[in-house]
Amino acid sequence: MDKTKMRVIFEYEFRRWTNAAQTSRNVNEVFGKDVANERTVRRWFEKFRSGDFDLQNEPRGRPESKVDDNQLKAVVEANPSETTRELAARFEVTIPTILSHLKAIGKVKKLDRWVPHELSECQQRNRFGACCSLVSRLKGDPFLHRIVTCDEKWILFDNRKRSAQWLDKDEAPKHTPKPSIHKKKKLTVSVWWSSASVIHYSFMRPGQSITVDLYCEQLEEMMRQLQIKQPRLVNRDRPILLQDNARPHVARSTLLKLQELDLETVCHPPYSPVHAPTDYHFFRALDNFLQGKIFNSQHAVENAFRDFITSCSPDFFASGINKLSLQWQRCIDSLGAYFD
């Protein structure tokens, strides 16, 4: 039987004050068993009692959202840090609704990236100018193979990382103590290298820090080792030192030592670890090599560092130095600002 005609009968019975149970029995006696369901009749009678005698079905599905995607996009781009809770309150909708609209306009939540320093306009100009000068020089003088670079790093005795575990729903994860960074549980290494290989490295005594005098001693030892390992670089090409702007590296005594050793230096803008191959390449690979390892003595740490050097192919060193040109260009493209 046509549903609209059936509802007309429901309305007729309702207006005669027949209850839902009797109405369903009356309809089934005339039109056949199970044509009218008492629960359905009750639902329509409740609708009639509210004063609504529209016999059409109410529209199904989700109600139309009040969120305009273009407006949402403008709000998010004006303040990318606004939370989904704040956005939901602003548009007077639920958080799941906001999330579905954010997905529709291609927005995802990402954590901020830490940067070494909040760059001023002057510092950005200095970074931009330095990189422009280096890229310009590189076009007429391919000097990357002449670069010698260096830096220092702590190596922890305990290099464990938190690991995920497959557990039962109600099972608590095991406890793992955080690695200690007490001075007796770490060792500082100073390393000097070029596109060919490691030239020199040394380990500092516990509690010892890099000073101007110590750095000058390392400079002398590095040049001595370089003369043995890469005599062509010393005698014909001449090495170029790439170092950061740490105080021992730019002190007056250090500058005099560089003049004495006839060592040219590469301009390195402040707050620029992405322009230091030891940071973005060598030490990153070392961290990956040491991950998960635990050492019980300084001797074991030193052996692990030597194992890492042995595991590195010649291409490893060359690729780290050669990436400098890309890093300089990316700094230029970002007008001296930090880049990902």
Side-chain angles (χ1 to χ4, degrees), residues 2 18 30 35 37-38 66 126-127 148 150 188 229 247:
D2 183 82
T18 308
V30 176
V35 171
N37 181 280
E38 183 178 340
K66 296 184 293 183
N126 289 341
R127 281 165 50 93
V148 172
C150 63
T188 303
K229 297 177 179 179
R247 184 169 298 176

Side-chain angles (χ1 to χ4, degrees), residues 24-134:
S24 62
R25 286 195 295 270
N26 292 344
V27 172
N28 290 334
E29 287 176 2
V30 176
F31 296 101
K33 186 179 179 181
D34 298 329
V35 171
N37 181 280
E38 183 178 340
R39 183 178 297 178
T40 301
V41 177
R42 289 184 185 280
R43 179 168 57 81
W44 280 98
F45 275 25
E46 289 175 3
K47 182 177 179 180
F48 297 152
R49 289 191 192 95
S50 70
D52 183 1
F53 288 90
D54 184 357
L55 300 181
Q56 301 299 318
N57 281 326
E58 294 181 356
R60 295 185 178 183
R62 296 180 179 178
E64 184 177 351
S65 175
K66 296 184 293 183
V67 180
D68 180 273
D69 285 346
N70 291 329
Q71 185 181 359
L72 176 62
K73 184 176 182 180
V75 169
V76 170
E77 291 180 350
N79 181 13
S81 299
E82 196 160 0
T83 66
T84 51
R85 186 179 298 277
E86 292 168 341
L87 291 170
R90 178 193 290 267
F91 287 93
E92 299 181 343
V93 295
T94 63
I95 291 176
T97 299
I98 280 293
L99 289 172
S100 65
H101 281 274
L102 288 170
K103 182 178 180 180
I105 62 176
K107 297 295 183 182
V108 295
K109 197 74 169 180
K110 296 184 178 181
L111 292 175
D112 292 341
R113 288 182 178 271
W114 291 112
V115 294
H117 180 75
E118 187 68 33
L119 295 172
S120 66
E121 291 186 8
C122 179
Q123 290 166 339
Q124 290 187 38
R125 287 196 299 269
N126 289 341
R127 281 165 50 93
F128 177 81
C131 291
C132 285
S133 175
L134 290 165

Side-chain angles (χ1 to χ4, degrees), residues 148-305:
V148 172
T149 188
C150 63
D151 211 340
E152 302 84 35
K153 176 181 175 57
W154 286 346
I155 299 179
L156 299 179
F157 279 41
D158 190 338
N159 295 276
R160 287 174 295 179
K161 304 291 183 182
R162 285 194 303 173
S163 59
Q165 307 158 42
W166 291 108
L167 302 171
D168 293 335
K169 183 177 180 180
D170 299 325
E171 185 180 356
K174 68 178 182 180
H175 292 177
T176 302
K178 288 184 177 181
S180 171
I181 56 172
H182 188 271
K183 66 181 181 180
K184 293 183 179 180
K185 297 297 183 181
K186 64 190 177 187
L187 183 65
T188 303
V189 62
S190 179
V191 60
W192 304 72
W193 61 290
S194 69
S195 61
S197 65
V198 170
I199 301 165
H200 170 63
Y201 63 88
S202 60
F203 298 98
M204 299 182 194
R205 297 187 304 274
Q208 185 182 21
S209 59
I210 192 76
T211 63
V212 174
D213 291 340
L214 179 57
Y215 189 68
C216 289
E217 291 176 9
Q218 291 180 353
L219 276 169
E220 289 184 335
E221 180 60 22
M222 181 275 295
M223 287 299 293
R224 190 182 72 82
Q225 294 288 338
L226 188 62
Q227 179 69 61
I228 297 172
K229 297 177 179 179
Q230 301 178 46
R232 176 188 174 91
L233 181 57
V234 177
N235 299 329
R236 296 185 58 179
D237 296 330
R238 296 187 62 235
I240 302 175
L241 178 63
L242 172 59
Q243 59 180 359
D244 63 24
N245 303 96
R247 184 169 298 176
H249 299 179
V250 295
R252 178 177 176 80
S253 298
T254 302
L255 298 179
L256 292 174
K257 177 59 67 174
L258 292 173
Q259 290 181 359
E260 176 187 330
L261 297 172
D262 194 24
L263 258 177
E264 179 186 354
T265 58
V266 177
C267 178
H268 181 83
Y271 311 111
S272 302
V274 291
H275 300 155
T278 313
D279 279 322
Y280 69 69
H281 185 73
F282 190 97
F283 285 159
R284 181 175 296 180
L286 176 60
D287 284 339
N288 291 334
F289 181 84
L290 296 175
Q291 186 170 341
K293 292 182 171 62
I294 303 173
F295 307 108
N296 54 16
S297 67
Q298 177 174 330
H299 180 69
V301 174
E302 294 176 1
N303 284 340
F305 182 78

